[in-house]
Amino acid sequence: MSSIIQLLPDHVANQIAAGEVVQRPASVVKELLENAIDAKATDIKLIVKDAGKTLIQVIDNGVGMSVTDARLCFSRHATSKIRHAEDLFDLHTKGFRGEALASIAAIAHVELKTKQDQEELGHHIIIEGSKFVSQEVAVLPKGTSFLVKNLFFNIPARRNFLKSDTVEMRHIIDEFQRVALAHPAIYFTLIHNGSEMFNLPSSNYRQRIVNMLGGKTNEKLVPVSEDTEIVTISGFVGKPEFAKKSRGEQFFFVNDRFIKSGYLHHAIMSAYEGLLKEGNQPSYFLYLDVPPHTIDINIHPTKTEIKFDDEQALYAILRSAIKHSLGQFNVAPVLDFERDPNLDTPYEYKDLKSSFPTIQVDSNYNPFATETVSAKTSSTSNFSGSSNGSSYSSRGNYQPKESASWESLYVDLKTDTEAVTNVSFESEEVTGSLFNDNEIEKETSRTYQIHKKYIVSSIKSGMLVIDQNKAHQRVLYEHYLRNITVSQASSQQLLFPLELFFSVDEVQFIKELQPSLENTGFVFDTISNDTIQISGIPVNVQESEVSIVLEELISNLQNEIPESSFSLNDGIAKSMAKSLSVKTGTYLSEKEQENLVNSLFACKDPNVSPFNKPTFITLSVEDLDKKFAL
């Protein structure tokens, strides 16, 4: 019987390996930036076109490579970082597998230009789909330039699975931020489609965070520092009042390598216990330095998860360090044990006995014995009104009048109260209804709210139970979607422009959403690198809610934007409807309940919310009878 197991060709094996290493353009960015850092570069420039689909180029001034290394670096499992298996537990570099460049070269067009400092000439190598096209000598500056074009050109199925340019660029920015924050001493530059997005000169950790996320970030940061035998912790955490709904500004670095750890994140949330509103997330930029032999990095393909030898001790130290920093800088409430010396009992009083106060009672005292008629007259005259019934004039003066009895206080007393005029409400015309007109009982059309969550209304066939939150989401969703598509939204002008501060990448995101947001009622005056000035907002949005609405909009759409522009508008309408809808636990008056019910059944699709959840249920009389027949 012939053998059925065969060795795969190298180019096929590289394409399979690329499935783990290169998931999207951001994966290429991560590998090339880390290689530049391992090459001891002090200036790294990242150039991207079409969110990395067309071009990704990383230029550094590192040590460069010889001609042999330049060719060998594209071979599988070729690395300069490790020699023995024991080296995996004593890593001081970023890349060490030797698969990244081989995988990238298998699915893209790659150009490598490199030159060592002591060499007069450099080397220019071109590879297409793992095949060496050309290799020649060239005059080049010191360092290395990796140019990756047409990613997934030979795997169209993988290319079709890529998201929109906005989503892919968001992932590239995430990887760029993680590398740049871990190495503040290196000069980083990011250019997308010819426009410079980030220019980060060499600085310290705090200045790098401020340059990355905007100038207002500086006042949000609280320093954290702790030095123990197990771990050395440094970095910053955000003040509780600046917490956001999203988790975008949360960074863990272990030995200058970005990691994700739900366990350590729980330690931070525990330190913030009682300081955050429900659902808010604190910002943190924490750098942990541990001995390399106490961690295992090689447990995840992307190397973003690490196994620690003693996680429990690390948890306790991290939690304690953050609690201490929040209390030290008067962010968290603390008990004040400083005593006031004026409240201390003098020492010489220690032998004195306590004395009780004496009470004297006059048993012959009668409070009614001294009351006279003249006293009564004098007291009542101070409050008597004038003959025309007006006790006080418009200037606050009054004329005293003697009165013999209390009945005179109410003689000719007139009231200025008038009958309250009836207020009529303009009823909104309902264009559609889910039920027939004769099915709704007019005499029992009153609605009731249960647990500040559900609205109950009776119909002829039984009972209608409406979820007020999901129903309002449907109403607002169709309202905003209609405004965006027909561009006829009304806005309320603000007396003073509202100035909001966002990170640099969030501002870029809002710029892309600006036309759709203006159709919902927002009016933008100026948009700078980290500041947005708004002079008009949608009619049903409060000024205090604008920042929350935009933050939630960015958080909801950053990783979920579909391809078409209509779907983008749909996503904006869904996000705003979710943020501004009536929440569970909100009391609604009877008028508000009726208006919500009428608005719901005037919608085109009142049965489900924008997120395909039912907005109401019906209970027929037969269903209720069955419940009581059990």
Side-chain angles (χ1 to χ4, degrees):
M1 184 177 179
S2 60
S3 301
I4 60 175
I5 298 178
Q6 299 178 359
L7 291 176
L8 289 174
D10 286 342
H11 68 280
V12 177
N14 289 336
Q15 287 188 5
I16 295 174
E20 282 190 0
V21 180
V22 184
Q23 300 174 357
R24 56 188 352 132
S27 305
V28 178
V29 171
K30 175 179 181 294
E31 299 291 348
L32 296 184
L33 289 178
E34 290 182 349
N35 284 343
I37 293 172
D38 288 340
K40 299 179 175 57
T42 59
D43 189 344
I44 301 175
K45 180 180 293 185
L46 172 62
I47 302 173
V48 178
K49 288 184 180 180
D50 299 330
K53 299 175 183 177
T54 303
L55 172 69
I56 299 174
Q57 185 176 10
V58 174
I59 304 172
D60 67 68
N61 62 347
V63 296
M65 290 183 285
S66 64
V67 61
T68 303
D69 291 341
R71 286 187 63 98
L72 195 59
C73 70
F74 292 102
S75 302
R76 294 186 64 202
H77 306 302
T79 178
S80 62
K81 315 298 173 56
I82 59 175
R83 291 289 184 269
H84 308 284
E86 292 76 12
D87 295 339
L88 291 173
F89 302 97
D90 191 20
L91 291 172
H92 299 273
T93 58
K94 304 291 184 182
F96 56 88
R97 292 175 300 179
E99 285 184 310
L101 295 182
S103 300
I104 294 171
I107 55 175
H109 297 164
V110 177
E111 291 187 25
L112 169 62
K113 298 178 181 179
T114 183
K115 174 184 173 297
Q116 292 180 318
D117 191 20
Q118 66 273 16
E119 299 290 336
E120 294 183 359
L121 297 175
H123 308 280
H124 182 196
I125 298 176
I126 299 178
I127 302 175
E128 295 180 0
S130 296
K131 297 180 181 179
F132 281 83
V133 176
S134 67
Q135 177 178 342
E136 56 187 11
V137 179
V139 178
L140 300 170
K142 173 198 171 185
T144 304
S145 170
F146 267 101
L147 189 146
V148 180
K149 297 185 295 185
N150 304 323
L151 193 65
F152 299 123
F153 79 100
N154 52 354
I155 312 179
R158 291 287 302 276
R159 190 176 182 89
N160 292 335
F161 273 100
L162 294 179
K163 302 297 183 181
S164 65
D165 287 356
T166 305
V167 174
E168 296 300 338
M169 193 60 204
R170 172 69 243 178
H171 287 285
I172 290 176
I173 291 175
D174 285 343
E175 296 294 347
F176 177 82
Q177 287 181 337
R178 294 166 182 175
V179 174
L181 287 173
H183 302 275
I186 300 177
Y187 196 125
F188 282 94
T189 308
L190 172 57
I191 299 174
H192 180 223
N193 290 340
S195 175
E196 185 178 82
M197 294 186 64
F198 292 96
N199 191 324
L200 309 173
S202 177
S203 59
N204 55 26
Y205 285 116
R206 189 184 194 108
Q207 193 61 42
R208 173 56 55 89
I209 295 171
V210 173
N211 291 338
M212 180 79 71
L213 302 178
K216 278 290 179 179
T217 309
N218 190 35
E219 64 185 54
K220 307 177 186 179
L221 301 179
V222 176
V224 178
S225 180
E226 189 70 35
D227 190 2
T228 66
E229 295 180 356
I230 299 176
V231 60
T232 299
I233 302 174
S234 60
F236 305 89
V237 294
K239 296 179 181 179
E241 59 264 29
F242 296 104
K244 298 181 179 181
K245 295 287 185 182
S246 62
R247 299 178 60 173
E249 298 179 0
Q250 297 180 345
F251 297 89
F252 272 122
F253 300 96
V254 175
N255 295 355
D256 292 336
R257 181 190 298 273
F258 172 81
I259 68 160
K260 297 177 182 178
S261 174
Y263 188 70
L264 297 183
H265 174 74
H266 187 274
I268 295 178
M269 297 301 294
S270 177
Y272 275 92
E273 186 177 2
L275 300 177
L276 298 174
K277 296 180 181 179
E278 185 177 357
N280 283 8
Q281 295 286 335
S283 302
Y284 54 80
F285 310 86
L286 295 174
Y287 302 85
L288 282 63
D289 189 9
V290 300
H293 66 274
T294 63
I295 58 176
D296 185 3
I297 301 173
N298 196 32
I299 64 172
H300 194 272
T302 60
K303 305 299 177 283
T304 55
E305 295 182 11
I306 290 180
K307 175 64 178 175
F308 296 93
D309 281 355
D310 194 351
E311 284 187 331
Q312 293 183 349
L314 193 61
Y315 181 101
I317 294 172
L318 183 62
R319 178 177 178 270
S320 175
I322 295 175
K323 266 184 169 292
H324 175 71
S325 295
L326 293 176
Q328 183 180 7
F329 290 91
N330 297 325
V331 175
V334 294
L335 295 175
D336 186 8
F337 291 102
E338 294 183 0
R339 59 185 177 84
D340 187 354
N342 295 326
L343 300 179
D344 292 345
T345 303
Y347 184 74
E348 58 270 15
Y349 286 6
K350 68 183 182 67
D351 295 329
L352 293 180
K353 295 183 179 181
S354 59
S355 59
F356 297 93
T358 58
I359 302 176
Q360 296 180 355
V361 179
D362 185 1
S363 59
N364 296 324
Y365 175 72
N366 184 1
F368 302 100
T370 58
E371 184 178 2
T372 62
V373 176
S374 60
K376 294 180 180 179
T377 305
S378 173
S379 62
T380 57
S381 63
N382 291 333
F383 298 95
S384 63
S386 60
S387 60
N388 59 1
S390 177
S391 299
Y392 297 91
S393 66
S394 60
R395 290 195 178 98
N397 299 324
Y398 67 92
Q399 299 294 331
K401 177 182 177 182
E402 293 186 1
S403 177
S405 62
W406 61 270
E407 291 88 346
S408 62
L409 296 174
Y410 301 96
V411 175
D412 297 331
L413 183 63
K414 297 181 181 180
T415 60
D416 295 332
T417 59
E418 298 178 359
V420 180
T421 59
N422 293 329
V423 180
S424 61
F425 296 90
E426 182 181 357
S427 61
E428 182 178 354
E429 182 182 357
V430 181
T431 58
S433 177
L434 186 68
F435 307 97
N436 297 329
D437 293 338
N438 57 0
E439 186 179 357
I440 301 178
E441 298 181 354
K442 301 295 182 181
E443 65 277 6
T444 59
S445 61
R446 186 175 179 181
T447 59
Y448 302 90
Q449 189 181 28
I450 299 178
H451 295 296
K452 298 180 181 180
K453 183 175 183 180
Y454 300 108
I455 298 175
V456 178
S457 179
S458 62
I459 56 177
K460 188 173 182 179
S461 61
M463 185 171 60
L464 190 69
V465 182
I466 301 173
D467 188 311
Q468 65 183 33
N469 175 253
K470 295 182 176 61
H472 200 212
Q473 284 182 6
R474 164 55 61 177
V475 173
L476 291 180
Y477 167 71
E478 293 196 5
H479 169 74
Y480 285 123
L481 192 59
R482 183 168 56 251
N483 288 344
I484 293 175
T485 53
V486 301
S487 302
Q488 292 181 353
S490 57
S491 62
Q492 52 181 335
Q493 296 299 312
L494 300 176
L495 184 60
F496 300 102
L498 185 63
E499 193 174 41
L500 303 176
F501 297 94
F502 292 93
S503 62
V504 177
D505 55 309
E506 289 175 340
V507 171
Q508 294 291 332
F509 194 80
I510 291 178
K511 282 183 179 179
E512 298 179 8
L513 300 178
Q514 184 176 352
S516 298
L517 290 175
E518 288 176 344
N519 290 337
T520 64
F522 285 98
V523 179
F524 296 91
D525 278 356
T526 58
I527 299 180
S528 62
N529 287 334
D530 59 352
T531 307
I532 295 176
Q533 200 171 61
I534 299 175
S535 60
I537 58 178
V539 175
N540 58 341
V541 178
Q542 301 293 328
E543 185 176 349
S544 59
E545 297 176 341
V546 174
S547 177
I548 299 174
V549 169
L550 291 179
E551 287 178 4
E552 292 186 354
L553 175 65
I554 294 172
S555 176
N556 292 336
L557 297 183
Q558 272 180 346
N559 298 318
E560 299 176 359
I561 297 181
E563 297 291 337
S564 64
S565 59
F566 177 79
S567 296
L568 173 60
N569 294 336
D570 182 77
I572 293 175
K574 285 182 178 179
S575 179
M576 293 187 64
K578 181 180 179 181
S579 300
L580 298 173
S581 59
V582 175
K583 301 298 187 290
T584 297
T586 303
Y587 170 77
L588 299 179
S589 65
E590 190 172 348
K591 282 288 183 183
E592 292 172 331
Q593 296 172 32
E594 292 179 359
N595 183 56
L596 180 57
V597 174
N598 294 336
S599 300
L600 174 64
F601 293 117
C603 293
K604 293 181 179 180
D605 187 9
N607 298 282
V608 294
S609 72
F611 305 96
N612 294 323
K613 302 292 184 181
T615 57
F616 67 89
I617 60 172
T618 56
L619 295 175
S620 64
V621 177
E622 290 77 9
D623 293 336
L624 296 175
D625 290 341
K626 291 178 182 178
K627 294 291 184 182
F628 287 100
L630 294 177

